[in-house]
Structure formats: C-alpha cells, structure tokens
C-alpha cells in the first residue's frame, strides 16, 4: 500500500533541446530521463530570434558573406540600403553589415536609432584616402566649383561637400549640378567614368583615389574567360579601370548589375566586382551562370563581418556608430540632397 506519491520533474532546455528528468517515489529510486530532442538552434536562427526580440533589422551590403545575406532583412548597394534605413519606421536597432562609411550614413540619416557595425575594424580604405584637409585645399584651388562626393567617404568629408552620390547615380547627380566643372572624390576611376558619361569636367580629389579590390580586375582575365564562354555578357563596376570598361557590355553598380542580369536574355555572365555579389546573382537567377572576372577580388574589409560578430554585436548592442551632430548636420544635407533626386 502506497501512502503517498512524490513526483519531481526537472526540465532543462538548451537551444531547442529539452531534457526531462522524472523522480517518482516510491516506485523507483533510479531516476529516468526522458529526452525530447529537437534540432539545436544554429547561429543564424539565434540571430533571427534575437533580432525579432530586440526590434532590430539587418542591412547587408551585396559584398557580404552568403550566410549574412541569407539572414538579412535587406540586401543592396549603398543607396538602396541608405533608403531602407531612412524608410524603416519600426526598428529600434539597425545592424549594418558592411563597412564604416555605410554605417555612418545610416547613423546620420537615423539619429533616433541605434546603428551597429558588427566589427569596428571594417573600414573602407578608399574612404580613408580623402581627408578634410584635401577637400579644403581643392576648394581653395577651385573656388565656386561644386564638390560631389561618392558615399564611400567618411562623415567629416561628406560634411564638406555639396551633394553625395553612389556608383548607381553618380552620372545623374553630376548632370544635375549647375556647373560644367565639379570636384569629385575619392575614386578616380569613378570620376573618369562620370566625366565620360556627362561630358563635364570632373576633377578627381585626391588625384589618385582607388578601391584596392576593384583595381585587381584586368582585361586579360576577362579575355581568357571569354575564350571559354564566348557567349558571356561582361558586367563591370565603375570603380574598375577604364580598360575594364572597354571590355564590358554593361557598367553599373552592384544593384544595377543584379537588375541587368535578371532582365537580360543572356544565360552566362562575367562579373567585374567584389565576389560577394555572386551569391545574390546566383540565388536570383538559378538558371543562369556567373563567373567572377578575377577570383581574387575579395574585399577583406567587407569580409571582416561574420555571423559570430553580427550575433555578438546585436546581443551586447556593441559597436554603436555615432557621428558628432555638427558634422552629421552638414553630412545629412549632402545625403538628403542625393536621396531627393530619384
Ligand atoms: S570593395 Fe573597395 S570601395 Fe568597397 S568597401 Fe571594399 S575597399 Fe571600399
């Protein structure tokens, strides 16, 4: 005859696994374990869960690692992500998986939101090439000449310019400026491309600014690929040299390339930009083939962002990007002028 029954349940959860220990007295002294084993939650799932709990969104540049692109709310080039950052009403936190100047722009345009850069060391070397002193020196040498700066510049530089542009709208922005001469920085290749497109005199500041990743592309590599895939369409980024433009069928920003590849009847493409964009191109166009024009075209700065760093930054809300208001105020005007131009 049993006088009483004692049941003790211990539930332990780790990730999505559940361990259930039951001790039933007096029917047995030996505890038994009931395991309800679910799939352990992987890092990507953890980030998505955390992002929802914290009312955060993840913006990822087209050059990000595939696994980051796959968990991002939006993937795009600088201008698309800047617009998304501005349009986003509900998010409290923006995790900007890219490099410093892009996160700075998001912080400038969204002063009420917390903008996180997963890794503070993700700096664009080209943005570092244009200093405020250089802009001031150029302005004094060319008084009354408007300054158009590529968004790949630091906030302090943006604060010194009249209007910003991206690789997607650079020619359009320069055309809209009421002057036949403009100062343009920091990418010399983009400056030359804009000069060819607009017919205006475009003075590069500094004289030698460049993207180390896009400089790696050489027309000889494209020619070799063309012999293997003669039907391929060649798309290149305007940060590449003029020699690359000459062998290209299409020159445009990463998002313009994505649109072009989607709408084109061609089935094979040779791509002259950072390798990260191939993930999006292949995902959007599973029936088409994409070859990188040079296998080594990897931006090490973009690739500093990893899932682990995205998770840590969001979990601890660390690496908050802020821009002092006097600088932000002027830089915001230059960015907003660009964004007003559809
Ligand atoms: S790809 Fe070039 S321009 Fe873009 S972040 Fe890297 S170094 Fe800067």
């Amino acid at each position: 005859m049993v006088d009483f029954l004692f049941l003790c349940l211990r539930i332990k959860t780790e990730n999505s696994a559940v361990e259930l220990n039951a001790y039933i007295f007096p029917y047995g002294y030996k505890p038994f374990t009931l395991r309800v084993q679910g799939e352990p939650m992987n890092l990507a799932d953890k980030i998505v869960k955390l992002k929802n709990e914290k009312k955060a969104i993840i913006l990822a540049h087209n050059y990000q690692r595939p696994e980051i692109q796959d968990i991002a709310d939006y993937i795009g080039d600088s201008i698309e992500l800047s617009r998304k950052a501005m349009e986003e009403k509900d998010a409290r936190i923006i995790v900007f998986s890219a490099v410093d100047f892009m996160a700075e722009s998001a912080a400038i345009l969204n002063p009420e939101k917390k903008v996180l850069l997963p890794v503070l060391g993700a700096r664009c070397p080209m943005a570092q090439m244009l200093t405020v002193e250089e802009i001031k020196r150029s302005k004094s040498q060319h008084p009354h000449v408007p300054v158009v700066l590529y968004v790949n510049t630091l906030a302090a530089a943006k604060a010194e310019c009249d209007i910003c542009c991206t690789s997607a709208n650079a020619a359009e922005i320069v055309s809209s400026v009421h002057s036949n001469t403009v100062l343009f920085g920091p990418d010399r290749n983009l400056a030359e491309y804009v000069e060819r497109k607009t017919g205006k005199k475009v003075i590069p500041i500094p004289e030698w600014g460049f993207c180390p990743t896009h400089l790696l592309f050489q027309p000889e590599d494209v020619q070799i690929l063309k012999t293997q895939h003669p039907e391929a369409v060649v798309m290149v980024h305007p940060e590449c040299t003029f020699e690359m433009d000459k062998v290209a069928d299409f020159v445009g920003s990463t998002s313009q390339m994505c649109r072009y590849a989607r709408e084109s009847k061609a089935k094979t493409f040779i791509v002259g930009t950072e390798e990260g964009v191939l993930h999006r191109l292949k995902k959007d166009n599973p029936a088409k083939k994409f070859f990188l024009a040079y296998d080594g075209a990897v931006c090490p700065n973009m690739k500093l962002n990893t899932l682990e760093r995205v998770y840590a930054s969001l979990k601890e809300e660390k690496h908050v990007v802020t821009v002092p208001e006097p600088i932000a105020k002027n830089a915001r005007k230059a960015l907003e002028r660009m964004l007003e131009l559809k």
Side-chain angles (χ1 to χ4, degrees):
M1 180 68 191
V2 177
D3 291 331
F4 65 93
L5 184 114
F6 177 73
L7 177 69
C8 173
L9 288 176
R10 187 169 70 103
I11 299 172
K12 198 173 129 202
T13 59
E14 190 156 338
N15 293 335
S16 57
V18 179
E19 189 179 312
L20 183 70
N21 292 317
Y23 302 83
I24 304 172
F25 181 83
Y27 292 110
Y29 298 104
K30 197 175 168 191
F32 66 89
T33 299
L34 178 66
R35 249 180 213 281
V36 183
Q37 187 74 47
E39 277 293 309
M41 196 180 262
N42 64 32
L43 195 51
D45 292 340
K46 281 185 183 178
I47 294 170
V48 173
K49 185 168 176 276
L50 196 59
K51 171 171 86 76
N52 295 335
E53 285 166 6
K54 291 191 177 229
K55 288 186 81 175
I57 56 161
I58 298 175
L59 304 182
H61 190 266
N62 288 322
Y63 297 159
Q64 290 300 284
R65 294 169 187 272
E67 60 273 24
I68 295 181
Q69 293 191 31
D70 289 345
I71 55 152
D73 294 275
Y74 302 105
I75 309 159
D77 60 14
S78 324
I79 191 165
E80 287 177 327
L81 297 180
S82 300
R83 282 193 202 282
K84 284 292 171 203
M86 264 181 67
E87 288 162 10
E88 183 56 47
K89 297 281 174 261
D90 298 332
R92 186 178 67 82
I93 298 172
I94 295 173
V95 181
F96 213 117
S97 196
V99 288
D100 53 355
F101 70 83
M102 293 188 195
E104 271 190 353
S105 295
I108 290 166
L109 294 169
N110 298 274
E112 73 296 345
K113 294 191 181 95
K114 197 181 253 188
V115 177
L116 308 175
L117 183 63
V119 51
L120 285 179
R123 299 200 187 109
C124 168
M126 181 162 72
Q128 315 279 333
M129 291 175 189
L130 184 59
T131 62
V132 169
E133 293 68 36
E134 178 73 35
I135 301 171
K136 287 185 175 163
R137 191 166 43 246
S138 304
K139 277 182 179 177
S140 66
Q141 285 166 356
H142 305 277
H144 314 302
V145 173
V147 181
V148 180
L149 290 190
Y150 193 18
V151 285
N152 299 33
T153 41
L154 296 176
K158 286 187 181 81
E160 295 294 323
C161 82
D162 295 289
I163 187 165
C164 288
C165 71
T166 69
S167 53
N169 63 18
E172 203 185 335
I173 296 280
V174 169
S175 296
S176 77
V177 171
H178 298 297
S179 169
N180 284 328
T181 307
V182 296
L183 290 163
F184 188 100
D187 185 27
R188 189 187 173 103
N189 288 323
L190 184 60
E192 289 176 355
Y193 170 76
V194 169
E195 188 168 79
R196 290 193 297 277
K197 290 289 272 187
T198 63
K200 292 192 178 188
K201 184 170 165 56
V202 179
I203 303 168
I205 49 168
E207 269 186 54
W208 47 269
F210 64 95
C211 162
T213 304
H214 285 89
L215 207 66
L216 296 170
F217 291 105
Q218 296 297 314
E220 294 75 20
D221 297 322
V222 174
Q223 277 146 14
I224 293 167
L225 277 168
K226 275 292 258 187
T227 57
Q228 294 159 4
H229 310 282
E231 76 290 5
V233 166
V234 180
M235 306 189 289
V236 312
H237 196 278
E239 284 175 23
C240 294
T241 59
F242 183 37
E243 280 60 44
M244 283 296 288
D245 288 19
K246 285 194 237 168
V247 296
D249 299 293
F250 176 77
V251 181
S253 71
T254 49
S255 289
Q256 287 170 332
M257 284 184 197
C258 290
R259 198 173 318 122
Y260 183 82
R262 202 169 50 239
E263 291 170 2
S264 169
K265 288 195 171 58
K267 295 272 181 271
T268 311
F269 298 83
I270 294 169
V271 184
T273 191
E274 209 272 352
E275 62 92 36
V277 79
L278 263 71
H279 179 66
R280 182 173 165 193
L281 286 167
K282 287 177 183 169
K283 216 171 157 178
D284 291 353
N285 307 279
K288 298 183 178 181
K289 285 192 186 130
F290 298 91
F291 298 96
L292 195 62
Y294 173 63
D295 280 346
V298 179
C299 173
N301 314 286
M302 284 281 183
K303 297 302 195 271
L304 282 176
N305 295 294
T306 59
L307 276 185
E308 287 75 12
R309 285 168 171 161
V310 170
Y311 180 68
S313 144
L314 182 56
K315 187 160 185 258
E316 295 165 38
E317 296 188 21
K318 68 178 180 181
H319 303 161
V320 180
V321 177
T322 54
V323 178
E325 190 47 31
I327 291 175
K329 193 170 156 234
N330 285 343
R332 193 176 298 123
K333 279 187 208 152
L335 283 166
E336 283 174 351
R337 276 186 209 119
M338 169 187 78
L339 293 168
E340 277 160 19
L341 227 120
K342 286 279 167 196

